[in-house]
Amino acid sequence: DWSSDVCSSDLSGKNLHRNWLSIPHVTQHDLADISEMEALRQANKGQAADKGYKLTPLVFLIKACVAALQEFPQFNASMDKDGQHLILKKYYHIGIAVDTPDGLVVPAIRDCDRKSIPELGRELSEVSQRARDKKLTPQDWQGASFTISSLGGIGGTSFTPIINAPEVAILGVGRAAVQPVWDGEVFRPHTLLPLALSYDHRVVNGGDGGRFLTELTSLLGDVKRMVM
Ligand code: CAO
């Protein structure tokens, strides 16, 4: 289990290598129109900072992923040890890849379905700080049911995230950018977020991969539906 024993770049390298070789990955790409979400985020980020947390796109992404996972339970699952059975999880613990000076760690934010955007924002700030201070406990890095790897704060459009076994899917997030979108009459500026979903092709077929990512982009494009 990658998430349970990653505590140095050596170990994470070994596990990434094993997962890359043993899981047949397919990566599906899409762009989410987050113009509305960005407007909401910009309007509220000052207030969030006053309350002690950072309102980044990742906080909304956790929320949207939970909603999509509830609709597509085979993505919120793990393979058993012999690779024969799929275990569907009834909880939504989202692993977050955190870059630290000592390498990659993946703490899980637990029960994301029961947490509000401010609660998730606070927990994300707190857990990533503890990861960088090497203060994660075994409880922090165990039991994720789905992982998000966000490079959006760093840059880049798209990349191929490696599945965090025994999970069966991972979402990679690139950097959002304002781009011209044709509305049938004129080009208008929209904020588009690049997403890359890698899934285990033994568990998820291409149609379901496409449907999951389409649902996720649709949720991110409709803030009311996402947060309600
Ligand atoms: N598009 C555009 N801007 C983005 C963005 C995106 N997708 N995601 C974040 N940003 C912005 C944030 O809004 C923030 O801007 P301000 O400082 O102006 O508010 C800035 O980028 C930095 O964000 P952050 O990195 O502090 O916060 P986060 O919630 O996005 O990420 C964490 C938290 C822990 C994931 C991050 O600190 C980190 O470690 N990222 C690296 C992850 C990594 O290396 N993954 C490994 C990949 S290999 O599988």
Side-chain angles (χ1 to χ4, degrees):
D1 175 350
W2 186 45
S3 57
S4 67
D5 56 11
V6 169
C7 31
S8 74
S9 1
D10 275 2
L11 263 180
S12 82
K14 242 189 213 167
N15 289 301
L16 287 165
H17 186 216
R18 187 197 59 207
N19 295 342
W20 180 247
L21 290 180
S22 63
I23 303 171
H25 282 69
V26 174
T27 305
Q28 164 102 16
H29 302 269
D30 208 346
L31 288 168
D33 188 335
I34 57 162
S35 309
E36 202 185 289
M37 183 190 108
E38 261 308 280
L40 183 74
R41 189 177 78 83
Q42 293 299 342
N44 288 283
K45 80 176 195 188
Q47 204 187 1
D50 292 343
K51 290 185 179 159
Y53 70 97
K54 217 165 161 182
L55 190 59
T56 64
L58 189 52
V59 183
F60 292 91
L61 275 154
I62 295 173
K63 203 82 196 159
C65 282
V66 169
L69 291 168
Q70 286 170 330
E71 257 187 72
F72 295 87
Q74 75 269 40
F75 289 82
N76 192 57
S78 66
M79 289 292 265
D80 68 356
K81 278 211 172 76
D82 58 14
Q84 298 298 308
H85 300 97
L86 188 66
I87 302 157
L88 302 180
K89 306 285 171 67
K90 296 234 166 79
Y91 51 83
Y92 299 88
H93 299 347
I94 306 294
I96 303 292
V98 181
D99 195 19
T100 78
D102 296 305
L104 176 69
V105 289
V106 191
I109 300 189
R110 307 182 92 75
D111 300 313
C112 293
D113 56 319
R114 296 196 220 139
K115 291 178 179 158
S116 64
I117 290 218
E119 284 170 321
L120 291 172
R122 252 179 237 116
E123 209 170 315
L124 180 63
S125 302
E126 188 260 330
V127 89
S128 49
Q129 194 50 51
R130 271 196 295 124
R132 294 197 175 99
D133 295 343
K134 294 195 199 169
K135 291 203 173 125
L136 291 179
T137 63
Q139 165 86 351
D140 284 317
W141 62 69
Q142 272 169 14
S145 50
F146 180 85
T147 290
I148 303 177
S149 175
S150 173
L151 291 177
I154 299 171
T157 49
S158 208
F159 62 101
T160 309
I162 300 177
I163 295 164
N164 189 10
E167 295 156 42
V168 298
I170 180 168
L171 183 74
V173 184
R175 187 165 191 80
V178 176
Q179 291 182 35
V181 174
W182 184 249
D183 75 355
E185 284 173 11
V186 286
F187 282 104
R188 293 190 190 280
H190 284 246
T191 307
L192 303 184
L193 178 71
L195 299 176
L197 174 79
S198 290
Y199 55 86
D200 183 335
H201 209 359
R202 294 168 300 181
V203 175
V204 175
N205 65 39
D208 286 342
R211 278 184 277 275
F212 179 88
L213 196 56
T214 301
E215 174 61 5
L216 186 63
T217 54
S218 149
L219 282 158
L220 287 163
D222 184 351
V223 181
K224 270 194 220 104
R225 195 156 79 88
M226 181 170 59
V227 297
M228 294 310 281

